[in-house]
Amino acid sequence: MLCRNFRLTKLHRPQGLRSYSSAQNINLSDIRIVEVGPRDGLQNEKTVIPPAVKIELINRLNRTGLRHIEVGSFVSPKWVPQMAGTAEILTKMERVPGSHYPVLVPNMKGLEMLLRTLEAHPVPAGAPPLTDEIAVFTAATDAFSQANTNCTVAESLARLEGVAQKARDHGLRVRGYVSVIDTCPYAGQVDPAQVKNAAAALLGMGCYEVSLGDTTGTLNWLKTGNLLASFRDALPTHKLAMHLHDTFGQALANIATSVSFGVTTFDASVGGLGGCPYSPGATGNVATEDVLYFLQRPSLPADAPDLASVAAVGEWISQQLDRPNASRTGKALAARRERDSTAAESA
Ligand SMILES: CC(C)(COP(=O)([O-])OP(=O)([O-])OC[C@H]1O[C@@H](n2cnc3c(N)ncnc32)[C@H](O)[C@@H]1OP(=O)([O-])[O-])[C@@H](O)C(=O)NCCC(=O)NCCSC(=O)C[C@@](C)(O)CC(=O)[O-]
């Protein structure tokens, strides 16, 4: 079990840090998971996934206690075919009051498509909206931004400013992403100042939170610490989230470092689903099951997501996609379940 309060000692300070005033006591009950499996997890799959499977995935995730689930994208189906049909998913999936179901929007056309969907499907008074949140995304490098959205970072920020304004005018919350915070598959090592500038621009246009994407999964605990330390005094930590692909198996260590810097929101993907279509070789996000196991502690809040239920969803979706379960915790729990049931049968 992790101790309730996590503090880095002097011995563990990332190199180059003389003072560590941002290391602070974190109440682990404050940690929030944004489940991105239905969007980031599925967008890279090679075979077409029927909408019914995507809807069932979201419904099952709803029942685990996860309360923030990214459910799709209003992006060009020519660029990311797997995200076609997000409007249908929004209108057919179950919604839990108080939960958030963000969808990715790259431009005004995407936002208008979402607004038309909301208008065409009014919900009864008192029922939760189809969604109350969009996510906009940019990158730290022009090269990645061009590959992902066919424009430079400056052009994407100019485009997103109007999108964020209009979304907020329609009562939608806006979350932001910055991709390639450490290494860009096209431009190499990224200057932290580029990450900081992009994140500051997103916060400046009204994003309530910016999720920092280690798209290529190259961060380690020390680099994570140095990156977050470089943002001190420039970006409000409580408005930052970490979106950590687990390509090099470092995501949990990077979460531990991020927690010590006061970051309390982490994106994760059930079963470790995913990759990024514009980051060749990148694997999925850190698995939700692994994050829950990592954070588990003796007294969990009553409404915390349930690890066993999330692991069962990870098993189910891995079978649906005919792929190995990428969550180590998920695999360990499945093996334990099998062993217990064999023992029960032979008793
Ligand atoms: C941004 C564009 C559209 C620009 O793409 P473009 O080709 O420059 O767009 P355009 O404005 O020239 O339009 C071209 C065609 O796309 C259509 N179009 C235009 N906009 C839309 C829209 N919103 N929805 C549906 N269709 C759209 C438009 O109507 C037109 O259709 P046509 O006349 O040829 O039939 C494109 O590059 C795109 O969709 N990119 C999305 C890429 C994407 O989804 N990437 C993955 C998500 S980001 C990610 O995974 C990283 C993250 C967030 O997880 C964090 C991390 O890990 O780093």
Side-chain angles (χ1 to χ4, degrees), residues 14 37 63 139-140 146 154 205 209 239 265 289:
R63 289 177 216 128
Q146 287 285 6
M205 67 179 74
E209 175 175 278
K239 292 193 170 190
T265 301
E289 301 89 312

Side-chain angles (χ1 to χ4, degrees), residues 16-23 196 225-237 240 261:
L17 282 186
R18 284 189 309 176
S19 74
Y20 210 129
S21 59
S22 55
K196 186 180 68 185
N226 285 330
L227 185 71
L228 291 173
S230 78
F231 298 158
R232 206 175 30 207
D233 306 329
L235 297 173
T237 312
L240 298 181
F261 274 83

Side-chain angles (χ1 to χ4, degrees), residues 77-308:
K78 288 181 188 151
W79 285 64
V80 184
Q82 282 295 7
M83 289 294 103
T86 293
E88 180 187 350
I89 286 158
L90 272 180
T91 57
K92 294 188 177 162
M93 65 187 216
E94 291 161 11
R95 302 185 308 281
V96 174
S99 289
H100 303 289
Y101 302 103
V103 288
L104 244 60
V105 168
N107 56 11
M108 200 55 93
K109 183 175 172 101
L111 178 62
E112 279 163 3
M113 287 166 69
L114 168 65
L115 293 175
R116 276 200 300 278
T117 305
L118 299 182
E119 213 175 285
H121 298 273
V123 295
L130 299 191
T131 183
D132 66 352
E133 181 170 321
I134 65 164
V136 296
F137 53 104
T138 187
T141 67
D142 283 337
F144 190 86
S145 182
Q146 287 285 6
N148 198 28
T149 51
N150 204 21
C151 60
T152 63
V153 173
E155 286 163 350
S156 89
L157 290 170
R159 183 191 271 181
L160 296 178
E161 178 117 40
V163 172
Q165 181 63 53
K166 185 162 178 169
R168 290 192 298 124
D169 290 347
H170 282 78
L172 296 169
R173 311 186 329 153
V174 185
R175 190 169 195 251
Y177 280 107
V178 179
S179 285
V180 293
I181 60 169
D182 182 51
T183 311
C184 170
Y186 312 105
Q189 187 59 48
V190 175
D191 177 355
Q194 292 170 246
V195 181
K196 186 180 68 185
N197 293 343
L202 290 172
L203 291 172
M205 67 179 74
C207 291
Y208 74 89
E209 175 175 278
V210 173
S211 180
L212 302 175
D214 182 16
T215 317
T216 48
T218 52
L219 279 175
N220 65 16
W221 72 277
L222 203 54
K223 292 208 275 179
T224 301
N226 285 330
L227 185 71
L228 291 173
S230 78
F231 298 158
R232 206 175 30 207
D233 306 329
L235 297 173
T237 312
H238 69 281
K239 292 193 170 190
L240 298 181
M242 296 299 279
H243 177 100
L244 300 163
H245 286 261
D246 205 17
T247 314
F248 286 84
Q250 302 301 306
L252 291 179
N254 299 338
I255 288 177
T257 302
S258 305
V259 168
S260 77
F261 274 83
V263 177
T264 53
T265 301
F266 298 96
D267 299 353
S269 179
V270 67
L273 293 178
C276 173
Y278 299 100
S279 178
T283 60
N285 276 100
V286 62
T288 313
E289 301 89 312
D290 297 0
V291 179
L292 288 171
Y293 186 84
F294 182 68
L295 295 172
Q296 70 180 317
R297 52 222 181 258
S299 56
L300 284 163
D303 59 351
D306 177 59
L307 171 58

